[in-house]
Amino acid sequence: MRKKRTACLLLLPLFAAAALSLLACGSVLAQSLGVIPAFGLEEPTLDYYRDALTSPAFHSALLVSLRVALLSALAAALLGTVLCAALVRVCRARGAMVSLIRLPILVPHTVTALFAILLLSQTGLVSRCAWALGLIDDPGQFPQLLFTPGCGGTILAYLWKEVPFVAYFTLALMAGVSATLGEAAENLGASPLRSFLTVTLPLSLPAVSQAFLIIFLFAFGGYELPLLLGATVPKALPVYAHLAYMHPDLRQRPAAMALYGVILLLSAAMAALYGLLTRRLLRKIGGGR
């Protein structure tokens, strides 16, 4: 009984944070339906969602966010898996090398955006080095990666952070599989490449899939990098929603909350999918039923 009481006390901060998050989500959904008594809005309606979902600006912003999230997640999952496999192959599943790849994960996104501007802009370090080496005749010839509708700079900034995340997230599982079933396959005559492709990688895919969903969800709802590195038009959906939220006419607040409601509902769907994949992973490694 005492242990249960201690566990409940230790979990109180988590319960408090969860309660605040649920309260905030409920407030967003209520306001997105037009229920803001302080502004004289008391009748719930779906008109704000209808207006948002039929707006061309919303469609453009949604496509930008989906493109950034999908390309970032796919490329990070692929490159992170390759990096993880390389670490496992050279027996670097722990130690200084792992600590090194953790560093980009710890860097805030605003600092990452500053790094990207200093390195990848047409007046940045990379373009000046290319000019000094004679690879280009003028720094202005360096490809425009930042502030473009294609969001190349935003995607590259996400990759710098998320490729190490995928590798670190998958490392323990892939190292364990490689050290047991992978080595068994090699002892039975399989080449290291065949052992990886037919044994280690398939058994590691649930963890890679989870990392992919985490990155997709985070990039889809991310605000800092699209704001600092993205194009002026079209904007990513979180940036578009924030600008709508800052409208001086407070009676337009439900329209902004409808945008946040769309982001919230899509994020909840992705979180549910993440939960399903987690349970599947636990069943596959024998840790759950």
Side-chain angles (χ1 to χ4, degrees):
M1 188 67 178
R2 184 177 180 182
K3 290 183 178 179
K4 291 183 179 180
R5 190 182 299 112
T6 302
C8 290
L9 288 174
L10 292 175
L11 289 173
L12 277 179
L14 176 62
F15 292 150
L20 287 174
S21 298
L22 291 175
L23 182 62
C25 291
S27 176
V28 168
L29 292 176
Q31 293 184 48
S32 69
L33 294 173
V35 180
I36 311 180
F39 299 162
L41 302 172
E42 299 181 355
E43 293 295 328
T45 177
L46 292 174
D47 290 347
Y48 298 106
Y49 279 97
R50 185 196 64 220
D51 294 342
L53 295 175
T54 57
S55 168
F58 169 81
H59 296 159
S60 298
L62 178 62
L63 287 176
V64 169
S65 291
L66 288 175
R67 180 171 66 248
V68 169
L70 183 60
L71 292 179
S72 300
L74 283 174
L78 176 61
L79 297 176
T81 302
V82 172
L83 175 60
C84 183
L87 290 172
V88 170
R89 194 63 193 171
V90 298
C91 301
R92 294 290 186 271
R94 58 173 61 97
M97 185 66 71
V98 175
S99 299
L100 182 62
I101 69 169
R102 289 173 57 189
L103 288 178
I105 305 174
L106 304 176
V107 176
H109 282 81
T110 50
V111 178
T112 301
L114 178 61
F115 286 165
I117 293 172
L118 292 176
L119 290 174
L120 302 177
S121 67
Q122 289 187 311
T123 57
L125 180 61
V126 176
S127 67
R128 290 198 293 255
C129 289
W131 172 74
L133 293 172
L135 300 177
I136 55 178
D137 296 329
D138 184 86
Q141 294 179 350
F142 188 75
Q144 181 68 39
L145 300 174
L146 309 179
F147 320 118
T148 62
C151 299
T154 304
I155 294 171
L156 288 174
Y158 275 125
L159 289 181
W160 184 76
K161 283 184 62 68
E162 307 307 350
V163 168
F165 170 77
V166 174
Y168 187 72
F169 189 87
T170 314
L171 186 57
L173 177 60
M174 186 177 289
V177 172
S178 177
T180 54
L181 299 178
E183 287 188 4
E186 292 184 29
N187 290 335
L188 292 173
S191 66
L193 179 59
R194 184 176 181 182
S195 171
F196 174 76
L197 293 177
T198 59
V199 178
T200 304
L201 181 59
L203 292 176
S204 302
L205 281 181
V208 176
S209 301
Q210 289 184 45
F212 169 85
L213 286 174
I214 292 172
I215 296 170
F216 182 91
L217 186 59
F218 193 89
F220 178 76
Y223 172 78
E224 303 96 327
L225 292 182
L227 174 69
L228 297 173
L229 301 177
T232 304
V233 177
K235 300 182 182 298
L237 186 56
V239 179
Y240 177 63
H242 177 72
L243 293 178
Y245 180 84
M246 298 301 293
H247 196 284
D249 184 2
L250 296 181
R251 292 180 65 87
Q252 298 297 319
R253 183 64 54 82
M257 287 302 183
L259 298 174
Y260 284 119
V262 172
I263 297 174
L264 176 61
L265 293 174
L266 289 174
S267 300
M270 295 299 297
L273 183 58
Y274 171 78
L276 290 175
L277 283 176
T278 300
R279 287 196 291 272
R280 180 184 174 189
L281 174 61
L282 289 175
R283 287 197 299 268
K284 193 167 264 194
I285 64 177
R289 294 183 181 273

